Amino acid sequence: PEVLINIDREAARRFEISTFAIADAVRTSVFGKEVSKFKDGDDDHPIVIRANSKYRYNLDQVLNQMITFRSMASGQIVQVPISALVKKQYTSTFDAIKRKDQQRMVTVYSNILANYNANEVVAGIQSALDEFELPEGYSYEFTGEQQEQEENAAFLSMAMLIAMFAILLILVAQFNSISAPVIIVLSIIFSTIGVFLGYVFTNRDIEIVMTGVGIISLAGIVVNNAIVLIDYIQLTIKRRTEEKEKADGRKGLTADEVRESIVYGGSTRLRPVLLTAITTVLGLIPLATGFNINFATLITDLDPQVYFGGDNAAFFGTMAWTVIYGLTFATFLTLVVVPVMYWLTFKLKSGLSNVFGKKEPRTV
């Protein structure tokens, strides 16, 4: 609710009173006006005049006060009540109007109670709004934390695509083929399955930013293990092919010999891949759990003061757990799925070579 004070300009001109004098009198009565300062040592205290509370909260008292001025025509002091110069009107209005892109908007926000997930709460609100028929010209959207999550997810998704595309280009130039790089990139995509399975089984919350950073970091480790395995398999096939050519002059290997080379390469690279995964996981566990040791007291008093948690774990823990979950699952992919995909790709190339009458492929 509000009160509109409309000034009668004709009456104000008749009494030779300006609209500023009327507005200033009303404002001074209600809000007050600083007229001087009181100095107390180095401190200045403002002196404000304002109507007494029993008067300023009474509209009639405010409007019945006198405006005192000197008449320009007669030179005498004249007093005129404000009520003779204004008209009051009772109405209602918005306490504030917010706009975005020239459209009026109302923001509804709230905190989340303990033990509740913001995404689950928003999902419940979304399902309720889906069944609610909005009037024509009205719409809604989620902003704040949800909008930031969407923007961060879009940025990290783009960063992940750019990283994978760059990895693919480098691998194509390195292997001089498209099949092996595609297998390696697929292993990156499949490793994210382990990330989400880990979060499901441990019932941990996913943080968009640090989880995305962890997945991008995971891609580098998965690529390294897959390259080590596929490169050694191709090296084994190449060596056996050269040995066969020297022994009996036969070019290329049979399907069984290629399969044996894949099995041999996988078994030979089993230990390096496992060591890489185990050392990385063990190295990330202190960061994931917030494992802390006070080395000063350990040296002086033999008291390590071990504790878990802290700000580092709260911030970097999600990234560390993401790499741990993904790398644990990706190790299985590297040792089992990648050789199987290599073998299936070789069989597919062999089948296509037979159909089109081309020579048998030597490697993927």
Side-chain angles (χ1 to χ4, degrees), residues 186-194 222 229 326-341:
L186 286 176
S187 66
I188 299 175
I189 298 175
F190 292 154
S191 65
T192 58
I193 299 175
V222 174
L229 179 58
L327 186 57
T328 303
F329 189 78
T331 303
F332 167 78
L333 290 176
T334 303
L335 296 175
V336 178
V337 178
V338 170
V340 170
M341 287 193 296

Side-chain angles (χ1 to χ4, degrees), residues 221 225 272-282 327-328 331:
I221 306 174
N225 289 340
V273 172
L274 286 178
L275 287 176
T276 302
I278 292 173
T279 53
T280 304
V281 169
L282 293 179
L327 186 57
T328 303
T331 303

Side-chain angles (χ1 to χ4, degrees), residues 41 97 139 158 162 193 216 224 232 235 237 301 315 347 363:
I97 298 177
S139 63
M158 181 60 66
I162 294 174
I193 299 175
I216 296 174
N224 180 59
Y232 189 77
L235 180 62
I237 294 175
D301 305 329
F315 186 75
K347 293 291 291 182
T363 61

Side-chain angles (χ1 to χ4, degrees), residues 30-49:
V30 177
F31 297 106
K33 180 169 64 175
E34 181 179 338
V35 294
S36 183
K37 291 183 180 294
F38 172 72
K39 190 173 183 62
D40 182 14
D42 294 333
D43 298 329
D44 291 335
H45 302 281
I47 300 175
V48 179
I49 59 172

Side-chain angles (χ1 to χ4, degrees), residues 1-209:
E2 71 174 5
V3 179
L4 296 179
I5 307 296
N6 298 312
I7 299 176
D8 187 347
R9 293 179 179 271
E10 293 184 1
R13 282 197 299 267
R14 186 167 56 251
F15 289 106
E16 300 177 353
I17 300 176
S18 67
T19 56
F20 171 78
I22 300 172
D24 184 60
V26 174
R27 180 174 182 83
T28 301
S29 300
V30 177
F31 297 106
K33 180 169 64 175
E34 181 179 338
V35 294
S36 183
K37 291 183 180 294
F38 172 72
K39 190 173 183 62
D40 182 14
D42 294 333
D43 298 329
D44 291 335
H45 302 281
I47 300 175
V48 179
I49 59 172
R50 186 171 63 166
N52 193 288
S53 59
K54 67 179 180 179
Y55 299 122
R56 68 171 177 266
Y57 293 127
N58 189 319
L59 182 60
D60 293 332
Q61 292 286 352
V62 172
L63 296 183
N64 287 332
Q65 67 176 308
M66 296 293 184
I67 296 181
T68 303
F69 64 98
R70 184 179 295 275
S71 174
M72 299 296 293
S74 62
Q76 295 181 351
I77 299 298
V78 181
Q79 289 184 325
V80 179
I82 297 178
S83 59
L85 305 172
V86 300
K87 295 179 180 179
K88 60 182 179 181
Q89 178 184 355
Y90 294 94
T91 180
S92 61
T93 184
F94 299 102
D95 61 344
I97 298 177
K98 295 182 180 180
R99 290 183 175 89
K100 183 177 182 181
D101 298 331
Q102 299 182 356
Q103 299 292 327
R104 286 190 178 185
M105 59 175 289
V106 176
T107 303
V108 180
Y109 57 92
S110 172
N111 294 325
I112 302 298
L113 297 178
N115 301 324
Y116 283 89
N117 184 281
N119 293 326
E120 295 177 353
V121 174
V122 171
I125 298 174
Q126 179 72 61
S127 61
L129 289 174
D130 290 339
E131 302 176 357
F132 182 77
E133 295 184 2
L134 291 173
E136 184 178 357
Y138 286 77
S139 63
Y140 70 89
E141 64 180 32
F142 292 98
T143 58
E145 182 180 346
Q146 298 300 312
Q147 186 178 21
E148 292 180 2
Q149 284 189 5
E150 292 178 359
E151 293 174 354
N152 293 333
F155 170 76
L156 292 172
S157 299
M158 181 60 66
M160 184 66 178
L161 291 176
I162 294 174
M164 292 181 62
F165 182 71
I167 291 172
L168 182 62
L169 290 180
I170 296 173
L171 292 177
V172 169
Q174 178 67 30
F175 285 97
N176 196 25
S177 67
I178 190 64
S179 303
V182 168
I183 294 174
I184 296 174
V185 171
L186 286 176
S187 66
I188 299 175
I189 298 175
F190 292 154
S191 65
T192 58
I193 299 175
V195 174
F196 297 117
L197 286 177
Y199 279 105
V200 170
F201 290 143
T202 57
N203 197 26
R204 297 176 60 88
D205 292 334
I206 296 178
E207 297 179 9
I208 299 297
V209 176

